[in-house]
Amino acid sequence: MTEGVALFGATGSIGESTLSVIAAHPERFHLEVVSAHRSINKLIGIIERFEPKHVILTDQSKADEFMEKLPKHFNGSLAFGEHSLTEAASATDVDVVMAAIVGGAGLVSTYAAVSKGKRVCLANKEALVMGGDLMMTEAQKQGALLLPIDSEHNAMFQCLPESYVVGQPIAGLKQLVLTCSGGPFREWTPEAMRQATPEQAVAHPNWSMGQKISVDSATLMNKGLELIEATYLFGVSEQSIEVVIHPESTVHSLVEFVDGSMLAQLGSPDMRIPIAHALGFPERLDLNVERLSLTKLANLHFEAVNHEAFPALALARQASADGGDRPIILNAANEIAVQAFLKERIGFTEITELVSDCLNQIDRQPISSIDDVLSVDTMSRHIADQWILERA
Ligand code: NAD
Ligand code: MG
């Protein structure tokens, strides 16, 4: 019997890498469910190649166009709309959920998978940033196995004993060291960044990724979101996490222990490596990826973050220290700001200005349910939209 995978966000960058790992291991996995939002042609290609049993198109407005293009021989089931993800996350034939939707849109389905005690491979970092406390409590209650896909968190996880359960305190931990490539503007001045175009921002030096995370990597908000993600996954406060710039993206992160030992995980910048690690865990899956040659690498570089040029990281650190609704506001305002920047409605450096202003403007709200999270998220998006309208 092979394991049934539900791949939410199959048409994205993580989706594509996941499909590649699944295709390489038909003895171990089959595609039970796939979802896409509106990339119909890509979805049709996936259906033809993988014959998933269940297909979800979350953007209902595309349903007619999709039905016209659907291959006649498709004999699986179809569903439309976001609520279909929640149902699929609970299906008994689903053993593993790969949460690869981008942004807050992935929160409810990821939480549903955790609530059903599934094995959840977590790429969708925004879901954890928004609902981290609730998600970790629920995972423990339901016995859901959470496995990090983000390369840095997957690296840290690989440095821990196999018996380590995500969310629990790490025995003998001194600190976590989160590496950061520095993004495409690492050596730019703040003045130059003010003029940066979307095209320049999405051109990441080492990784090929979706647009949103690429812009986040350019502002370093991605590292800020990852810092918050790490606090939940590894049961630490932000004070136990150091961020270090490492332009080569070869050392994916490190764990430092109280005895002075530092453990690291290295590899080519290829997301199939952490994806295969999480899908196969605790076994190792054979993978045809570029191998590292240590002699060719020769030199690896590490440097401190330039906080003046990249204020996003400090904003995220503060949001993490303040806790409660702050990470939700940070994430929502950032999502709106990134979309506005991609549409050239605001400038690159205005992304973090907008996030900072939203955090200052919004009064604290208590968070005790996913509905509370969603309501702060909606309100923050509204305030961020207003900010943009006032600037325009
Ligand atoms: P992407 O933009 O390439 O793909 C996003 C996927 O989500 C697509 O399948 C799309 O159809 C779906 N989607 C978009 N909006 C949706 C909505 N409103 N409702 C339902 N589905 C929707 O993004 P990506 O780069 O693959 O990133 C996915 C997630 O993984 C993000 O949270 C990102 O931070 C994280 N991640 C990505 C990488 C990477 O290398 N790409 C690395 C680490 C973490
Ligand atoms: Mg990462």
Side-chain angles (χ1 to χ4, degrees), residues 125 150-153 213 222-223 226 229 271:
K125 67 190 83 181
D150 218 342
S151 57
E152 296 78 0
H153 308 72
I213 185 176
N222 182 48
K223 216 44 59 177
E226 289 184 355
E229 184 185 8
M271 286 308 292

Side-chain angles (χ1 to χ4, degrees), residues 130-363:
M130 296 166 77
D133 282 327
L134 297 165
M135 196 94 75
M136 298 314 296
T137 306
E138 190 66 10
Q140 199 181 358
K141 204 163 116 197
Q142 306 300 342
L145 181 62
L146 268 180
L147 294 163
I149 294 295
D150 218 342
S151 57
E152 296 78 0
H153 308 72
N154 182 270
M156 292 172 188
F157 184 67
Q158 290 201 41
C159 296
L160 299 175
E162 198 178 291
S163 58
Y164 176 72
V165 175
V166 159
Q168 296 303 306
I170 298 170
L173 179 75
K174 176 77 175 166
Q175 65 167 358
L176 301 172
V177 182
L178 184 60
T179 56
C180 171
S181 72
F185 303 150
R186 182 170 59 89
E187 292 175 310
W188 287 35
T189 62
E191 293 70 42
M193 271 191 264
R194 229 166 269 146
Q195 310 300 326
T197 65
E199 211 172 49
Q200 290 168 321
V202 299
H204 196 278
N206 307 331
W207 298 92
S208 155
M209 310 180 285
Q211 282 199 322
K212 195 258 172 183
I213 185 176
S214 297
V215 176
D216 286 347
S217 301
T219 55
L220 295 208
M221 186 57 92
N222 182 48
K223 216 44 59 177
L225 298 174
E226 289 184 355
L227 178 107
I228 301 173
E229 184 185 8
T231 63
Y232 294 122
L233 289 175
F234 301 112
V236 294
S237 81
E238 50 81 28
Q239 290 170 333
S240 301
I241 307 171
E242 187 189 357
V243 179
V244 174
I245 301 289
H246 166 49
E248 290 90 356
S249 299
T250 299
V251 177
H252 295 304
S253 277
L254 308 91
V255 180
E256 182 181 347
F257 293 93
V258 285
D259 61 0
S261 292
M262 280 182 127
L263 299 189
Q265 185 260 351
L266 285 72
S268 302
D270 184 331
M271 286 308 292
R272 287 176 299 171
I273 299 174
I275 289 168
H277 172 265
L279 282 176
F281 184 81
E283 286 156 34
R284 294 273 175 182
L285 301 179
D286 198 2
L287 209 54
N288 186 13
V289 288
E290 196 182 323
R291 308 270 142 185
L292 280 187
S293 156
L294 293 178
T295 47
K296 269 193 210 148
L297 281 176
N299 289 310
L300 292 175
H301 299 86
F302 299 91
E303 57 194 58
V305 176
N306 178 351
H307 288 286
E308 231 166 276
F310 296 98
L313 184 57
L315 281 178
R317 208 180 257 289
Q318 190 60 50
S320 180
D322 294 343
D325 64 352
R326 297 296 105 177
I328 309 168
I329 302 167
L330 175 98
N331 177 69
N334 181 59
E335 282 193 36
I336 295 293
V338 169
Q339 289 315 317
F341 167 68
L342 286 169
K343 290 184 184 141
E344 302 189 44
R345 295 181 65 204
I346 62 171
F348 180 75
T349 48
E350 284 179 305
I351 298 173
T352 33
E353 267 180 55
L354 189 162
V355 174
S356 171
D357 286 354
C358 281
L359 283 163
N360 289 332
Q361 264 182 47
I362 302 174
D363 292 334

Side-chain angles (χ1 to χ4, degrees), residues 8-17 35-39 42 58-59 82 85 99-103 105-106 122-127 149-152 207-214 216 222 225-226 229 271:
F8 294 163
T11 50
S13 160
I14 292 289
E16 198 174 312
S17 297
S35 93
H37 195 51
R38 46 196 352 230
S39 316
K42 267 195 182 173
T58 38
D59 184 350
E82 246 159 76
L85 295 172
I101 288 174
V102 62
L122 190 74
N124 182 207
K125 67 190 83 181
E126 295 91 345
I149 294 295
D150 218 342
S151 57
E152 296 78 0
W207 298 92
S208 155
M209 310 180 285
Q211 282 199 322
K212 195 258 172 183
I213 185 176
S214 297
D216 286 347
N222 182 48
L225 298 174
E226 289 184 355
E229 184 185 8
M271 286 308 292

